[in-house]
Amino acid sequence: MPTTKSRRLKAEKSSGLNGTINVPGDKSISHRALMFASIAIGESAISGLLEAEDVINTAKAMAALGAQVERYSDGTWKVRGVGVGGFSQPRDIIDFGNSGTGVRLCAGLVATTPIKVGFTGDDSLRSRPMKRITDPLRLFGAKIDTLEGDLLPMRIVGSENTVPVEYTLPVASAQVKSAVLLAGLNAPGKTSVIEPVATRDHTEKMLKAFGAKLTITEDNTGNNQGRTITIEGQHELTACDVTVPGDPSSAAFAIVAALITTDSHIIIKDVLLNPTRIGLIDSLKEMGGDIVIENRRESGGEQLGDIIARSSQLCGITVPASRAPAMIDEYPVLAVAASFATGTTRMEGIGELRVKESDRLAFVADGLENNGVVVRSGPDWMEVDGADTVEGGGFVKTGLDHRIAMSFLVLGLASEKPVTIDDGNIIATSFPVFEELMIGLGCNIKSVDETE
Ligand code: S3P
C-alpha cells in the first residue's frame, strides 16, 4: 500500500484576519451530483465540484461502474450516465479512501443492480460501522458480506429480484437515508424512508432536480413521526446541470478563526445555507458571534449567501441534541470556539461523533486537554470550560480526521503558544486549499519538520 510521509503543521497566534474568499464546493452535494449524473440518461455538466480526495474517489468509482466522467480544462465536469440500474460489472474492488458518504451512498446504488462489487477504504473508513446500511440494503434482497464487526472490506451482490422497502431510520443519518432511497431507485414500486429527525436533504432535492418521482410528507399529527420520503422505483432520471455552492462545513473554520482572533473581519462568498446544514451558525450567533449573512439567494433549489464574520467575545451556551444533525460535522470547531468563550458550553446528543472519521468526542477532548482547556465528556455529550486565554503549546493527534486537523490549527491561531498537528495531509480529503486560503486571510500556519 502506498504511504505518504506525514506533514506536521503548526498554527501560531494571529490577528487582523481580513479578506474575501470563496470556499470550495460542498462535499455532500458534490458526491451526489456525480452519482446521480452517473445513473441519469444524457450528459450532465457539474460546475464548482469539490476537487478533493473524497469526491475524486467517487468520480473514479462512477467511472469504474461504467459512467463516462470527464474533467474539462475550465474545471467543469461532464458526466454521461448509464440509466437507473445500468451500472456494469467493475473489474476491481473500489477504494473510497476516507469517505463514508462515498461508500455508503454507492452501496445503495449497487444493492439493486445485478453486479458484484467489492468496497474498501483507508484505515479510518475500514473502522467505521457499515451495519447501518447493510441492514436496510439486505431488505432489498442484496447479498452482503463484510469483515467481522460489519466493517469494510465489503462485497455486495446486487439483487436481481428486488422488492421495495419501507424503512424507519434508527439513527439520524443522511447517509443511511440516501443509501435506502438510492437502492429504491431501481426497486419496483414505492420505497419509503421514515426520518424521525430531519437530516440534510440534498438527496431529496437533487433527485427531484434529476426528475425522480419523489414525494415528502410531514407528520403533523403530533406523533412525532417526522418526514416520510417516498421514491417510485424504476423510473429513469434525466441529466441535469448542477452548480455546487461553497461548503458551509469548510467555511466553518474561517468563521471560527475570525471570531476568536482580534481585529478580524472576513467575508466568505456563495456559501450553501440549507437550513439542515447551518446549526453551527445558529450556535455561534447564540454565543454572541458577530456573523451577518448578506446577499441571500436561491440557486438550483438550494439557499446560499455571503457570510461576514468579525472578532467577537463569545459566551458559553447549551447546544441542544435537536440541533446535532444540522451541525454534525462542526462540533470539533465549535468546541474550539467554546474554549475562548466566557463560561461553559455544553453539547448534548452527540454520540454519532464517535463513529465519524475518528472518534471525534475522544480526539477533541484529548486535543483540548493537551492545550490546557478544561473539558468533560460522556458517551454522547461534552462540556468545554471557556477561558480568556488558552495556553496552547500542545501536539495534537488527528487520527486520519480532516476536521480534527483543521479545528486544532484554528485553536492555535488564538492560543498563547502555537499548536502543532501530527499530519496535515488528511486535510486534502475535503479542503485541499485550506492552508492557502487561511494564510491568505492572515493566519500563521506553516509546515514544520519533526524537530520543531
Ligand atoms: C453526510 C452526512 C453526514 C455527515 C457527512 C456527510 C452526507 O453523515 O457527517 O460528513 O453527505 O450525507 P451522517 O448522515 O452519517 O450523519
Side-chain angles (χ1 to χ4, degrees), residues 43-106:
E43 186 178 87
S44 305
I46 307 168
S47 50
L49 187 86
L50 170 64
E51 293 181 336
E53 284 169 10
D54 278 10
V55 175
I56 299 298
N57 283 326
T58 288
K60 287 184 187 160
M62 294 302 107
L65 289 161
Q68 275 177 44
V69 183
E70 210 177 331
R71 183 190 193 274
Y72 283 66
S73 53
D74 66 351
T76 306
W77 288 68
K78 292 207 175 146
V79 180
R80 185 162 283 280
V82 295
V84 166
F87 279 156
S88 45
Q89 176 62 45
R91 287 151 54 133
D92 215 337
I93 187 164
I94 302 181
D95 188 340
F96 282 90
N98 194 251
S99 179
T101 308
V103 75
R104 292 187 176 127
L105 269 59
C106 187

Side-chain angles (χ1 to χ4, degrees), residues 27-28 32 101 132 172-175 200 328-329 356:
K27 183 147 71 75
S28 294
R32 287 162 173 80
T101 308
R132 54 183 56 203
S173 164
Q175 292 179 354
R200 66 189 68 193
I328 195 67
D329 293 332
K356 292 293 176 188

Side-chain angles (χ1 to χ4, degrees), residues 133-148:
I133 55 153
T134 56
D135 278 351
L137 295 181
R138 285 188 180 115
L139 301 176
F140 286 94
K143 302 227 169 347
I144 308 178
D145 294 318
T146 56
L147 204 67
E148 208 178 308

Side-chain angles (χ1 to χ4, degrees), residues 62-215:
M62 294 302 107
L65 289 161
Q68 275 177 44
V69 183
E70 210 177 331
R71 183 190 193 274
Y72 283 66
S73 53
D74 66 351
T76 306
W77 288 68
K78 292 207 175 146
V79 180
R80 185 162 283 280
V82 295
V84 166
F87 279 156
S88 45
Q89 176 62 45
R91 287 151 54 133
D92 215 337
I93 187 164
I94 302 181
D95 188 340
F96 282 90
N98 194 251
S99 179
T101 308
V103 75
R104 292 187 176 127
L105 269 59
C106 187
L109 289 172
V110 166
T112 52
T113 307
I115 50 175
K116 294 178 190 149
V117 182
F119 298 82
T120 193
D122 68 5
D123 286 350
S124 154
L125 191 56
R126 278 188 281 114
S127 66
R128 296 180 67 186
M130 292 298 140
K131 186 170 161 52
R132 54 183 56 203
I133 55 153
T134 56
D135 278 351
L137 295 181
R138 285 188 180 115
L139 301 176
F140 286 94
K143 302 227 169 347
I144 308 178
D145 294 318
T146 56
L147 204 67
E148 208 178 308
D150 288 293
L151 301 175
L152 296 180
M154 156 173 90
R155 186 177 80 146
I156 301 187
V157 181
S159 171
E160 290 191 49
N161 298 306
T162 307
V163 288
V165 162
E166 184 182 296
Y167 192 69
T168 301
L169 293 182
V171 274
S173 164
Q175 292 179 354
V176 179
K177 167 176 68 177
S178 303
V180 177
L181 290 173
L182 296 181
L185 280 176
N186 198 33
K190 292 183 176 172
T191 287
S192 292
V193 179
I194 298 147
E195 178 177 65
V197 182
T199 62
R200 66 189 68 193
D201 59 358
H202 309 303
T203 294
E204 299 90 301
K205 284 200 156 86
M206 204 186 293
L207 277 178
K208 275 192 181 169
F210 275 86
K213 289 197 170 170
L214 181 142
T215 52

Side-chain angles (χ1 to χ4, degrees), residues 320-335:
S322 58
R323 201 178 290 160
M327 55 175 292
I328 195 67
D329 293 332
E330 281 65 73
Y331 283 97
V333 81
L334 179 77

